[in-house]
Amino acid sequence: MFGLTSALQYYLYNSPTDMRKSFDGLCDVIQGRMMRNPVSGEVFIFINKRRDLMKILHWEYGGFVLYYKRLESGTFELPVHRSADHSTAVYWPQLMMMVEGISLQSVRIRKRYLLTATG
């Protein structure tokens, strides 16, 4: 079954990506630049230089799934990130706002309980 949910972990690659890359090329970026495991079940988001193309790579049981979105007008707004990092953790609501064209800067996020590894 195809599907991305809020239960998954999402990582945005912070550098512009050549959208000619497919499964193997994106896996090389994940391993070599992001220092993550492409088959971990995490979801990896890539944006081109003009910010009008997005690819999302996800490992599901049995193989990779590649989602591709092209905007006919406008650009994807990206979350603020630390320049030294190659990737930024993105929450499901942020990804949905990016895809739907909602400004991430003007949204006020209310406090919610977040389960952490320490309790």
Side-chain angles (χ1 to χ4, degrees):
M1 178 174 170
F2 298 102
L4 300 175
T5 67
S6 61
L8 299 170
Q9 293 180 318
Y10 296 84
Y11 294 95
L12 172 68
Y13 181 56
N14 290 333
S15 298
T17 304
D18 180 354
M19 287 297 148
R20 294 174 292 183
K21 291 183 186 295
S22 190
F23 298 95
D24 294 331
L26 294 174
C27 284
D28 289 344
V29 172
I30 293 166
Q31 288 176 314
R33 303 286 290 164
M34 297 173 78
M35 307 308 253
R36 304 200 76 80
N37 181 0
V39 297
S40 65
E42 298 167 334
V43 181
F44 302 97
I45 306 160
F46 303 92
I47 308 285
N48 68 335
K49 188 174 185 175
R50 290 189 319 237
R51 296 188 357 238
D52 63 347
L53 300 174
M54 175 187 288
K55 282 189 177 182
I56 300 174
L57 185 65
H58 178 232
W59 172 263
E60 291 185 353
Y61 177 74
F64 284 106
V65 177
L66 184 64
Y67 300 91
Y68 193 12
K69 173 121 183 173
R70 179 182 77 183
L71 297 178
E72 296 300 322
S73 178
T75 59
F76 292 109
E77 182 178 334
L78 305 180
V80 177
H81 65 276
R82 289 178 274 158
S83 60
D85 295 337
H86 289 290
S87 65
T88 300
V90 175
Y91 294 108
W92 173 252
Q94 287 177 300
L95 176 61
M96 292 299 96
M97 288 186 282
M98 286 170 54
V99 169
E100 293 298 325
I102 299 169
S103 174
L104 301 173
Q105 303 305 317
S106 64
V107 172
R108 186 175 63 164
I109 300 173
R110 296 185 182 269
K111 184 178 179 180
R112 295 288 185 256
Y113 175 76
L114 182 62
L115 182 63
T116 61
T118 60

